[in-house]
Amino acid sequence: MSKRSVGPFSVNPVGLGCMNMMHAYNAPISEAESDKLLNRALDLGYDFLDTATIYGLGESERRIGKFLKHRRDEFVLASKCVLGFSDGKRTLDGRPEAIISACEASLKRLQTDVIDLYYMHRPDPNVPLEDSVGALAGLVEQGKIRSIGLSEMSADMLRRAAAIHPIAAMQSEYSLIVRNPEIAVLEACKAVGTTLVAFSPVGRGLFAQTPVNPADYWEGDMRRSFFPRLAEPHFSENMKLVPAAREIADALGCSMPQLAIAWTLAQAPEIVAIPGTKNIMHLEENFGANDVTLDPDQITTLNAVFAPEAISGPRYSPRGQASVTTELFPFE
């Protein structure tokens, strides 16, 4: 699969999401394991690494800076602000002065002079979007960041932001079990020249080769309470759809994660996927999705089986849903 554009950059369609190293699904991996994982990613050809201030309360950024500073010219580096931390607690602050301060802190942790793509991780309802984007535009002018992104925001917010400054990327969850970008965001991305960066394309593990039973989730696993589709009673209902995907994966001779990622990439040439993992074997497997091509009939079958109305449970808990503005289907 040929490279795809993210703002001024050209990257492989499969990038690396760097949240999983530090939290969300299982216990964080060690520094030594992070070193091996990150360097193996670059060796394989991953050239787009996506992290954020909030991941591990800065620890994901720090490890990327520590272990990849000698290879900085080999990858496009993305990070995020607005969602941050203070005194070990999560914060949400989209004020211009907070964005400028967060960028300086991220630059230090990442041990770099410039961040290639800097996102607003979430909208701050207490700060006009235009003010936040204006601060990011100022950071571009200063050479602290090279391009601007948004995350988990609506098509309207994307258009408003693009009126202030070109928006290189809109990050949104997009997979066979989360198709909300199809409502309006994907069309808006095409209209304003923005790449959709799809996170969790493997359905937060639903399309793993061997999915984890919710009863076996780690005690701190966010799927226990934050992502209802991955917890009971919805997990079992959604798993009933998976054999149809497995049949297609077997016909293609690929793994389930590769099929899920390839489906996401097949939806539009303006999409880049960023599956995350702590596991080097999975890292290698995910990158192999670059070589998987689905035919139109296979895509049609998957689209029908995993129609949005066929998915059981909400995408987020009420608390999680309240923090995003991505459009909902009428039945959600």
Side-chain angles (χ1 to χ4, degrees):
M1 192 176 290
S2 59
K3 292 202 172 191
R4 297 186 174 187
S5 296
V6 179
F9 309 105
S10 181
V11 301
N12 284 315
V14 180
L16 178 63
C18 297
M19 177 180 74
N20 297 24
M21 285 194 302
M22 300 316 307
H23 73 279
Y25 307 132
N26 292 296
I29 57 176
S30 68
E31 283 207 355
E33 290 171 312
S34 292
D35 188 357
K36 291 178 182 178
L37 182 82
L38 292 168
N39 278 283
R40 178 59 179 153
L42 297 193
D43 291 344
L44 287 167
Y46 282 90
D47 56 7
F48 180 46
L49 273 57
D50 188 287
T51 185
T53 294
I54 197 64
Y55 298 163
L57 304 183
E59 184 65 10
S60 175
E61 288 181 322
R62 191 187 69 79
R63 291 188 184 186
I64 290 171
K66 180 176 181 178
F67 299 125
L68 296 183
K69 62 182 177 181
H70 62 296
R71 305 182 67 174
R72 180 64 184 87
D73 61 346
E74 296 180 39
F75 62 97
V76 173
L77 174 61
S79 192
K80 308 178 191 75
C81 60
V82 178
L83 270 184
F85 61 94
S86 178
D87 298 325
K89 296 181 180 180
R90 179 180 174 127
T91 61
L92 176 72
D93 195 341
R95 294 173 302 151
E97 58 268 33
I99 286 174
I100 293 167
S101 177
C103 181
E104 292 294 343
S106 288
L107 288 167
K108 289 179 181 177
R109 286 189 293 266
L110 290 162
Q111 298 191 43
T112 186
D113 295 329
V114 61
I115 298 170
D116 298 314
L117 171 61
Y118 202 45
Y119 299 89
M120 288 183 63
H121 204 155
R122 290 291 189 275
D124 182 345
N126 297 314
V127 179
L129 176 68
E130 289 77 7
D131 290 357
S132 299
V133 174
L136 291 168
L139 290 171
V140 173
E141 292 177 2
Q142 295 170 36
K144 300 292 182 70
I145 66 175
R146 291 195 171 103
S147 61
I148 297 171
L150 305 178
S151 178
E152 291 277 66
M153 298 191 201
S154 67
D156 176 67
M157 294 190 86
L158 171 58
R159 290 189 172 93
R160 285 168 53 195
I164 305 296
H165 189 280
I167 302 300
M170 168 69 87
Q171 187 165 135
S172 186
E173 185 173 5
Y174 192 29
S175 72
L176 283 164
I177 64 162
V178 176
R179 295 175 60 180
N180 298 73
E182 296 174 8
I183 300 171
V185 165
L186 190 52
E187 180 182 351
C189 284
K190 293 177 182 179
V192 301
T194 296
T195 298
L196 181 74
V197 177
F199 70 85
S200 298
V202 186
R204 301 189 187 277
L206 189 77
F207 298 101
Q209 197 65 15
T210 305
V212 177
N213 188 301
D216 297 325
Y217 287 159
W218 176 62
E219 63 179 352
D221 196 311
M222 293 176 69
R223 291 172 293 188
R224 286 183 176 272
S225 59
F226 208 67
F227 309 122
R229 290 177 184 176
L230 283 302
E232 296 297 2
H234 305 296
F235 177 84
S236 294
E237 290 300 309
N238 291 324
M239 281 300 296
K240 293 177 182 178
L241 307 178
V242 172
R246 193 174 296 276
E247 183 177 344
I248 292 175
D250 290 345
L252 288 168
C254 70
S255 70
M256 286 288 288
Q258 288 172 341
L259 176 76
I261 296 166
W263 175 88
T264 301
L265 294 173
Q267 302 315 299
E270 299 86 6
I271 296 174
V272 169
I274 51 166
T277 185
K278 298 177 173 72
N279 184 296
I280 287 182
M281 182 181 72
H282 294 165
L283 182 82
E284 295 169 348
E285 179 181 43
N286 291 344
F287 198 69
N290 283 308
D291 300 321
V292 176
T293 302
L294 283 69
D295 67 37
D297 288 341
Q298 291 167 331
I299 293 172
T300 297
T301 297
L302 290 169
N303 288 350
V305 171
F306 294 93
E309 61 270 21
I311 307 303
S312 179
R315 176 166 80 105
Y316 278 134
S317 66
R319 177 188 170 197
Q321 187 59 50
S323 72
V324 305
T325 58
T326 309
E327 290 81 2
L328 294 172
F329 289 100
F331 49 82
E332 290 189 280

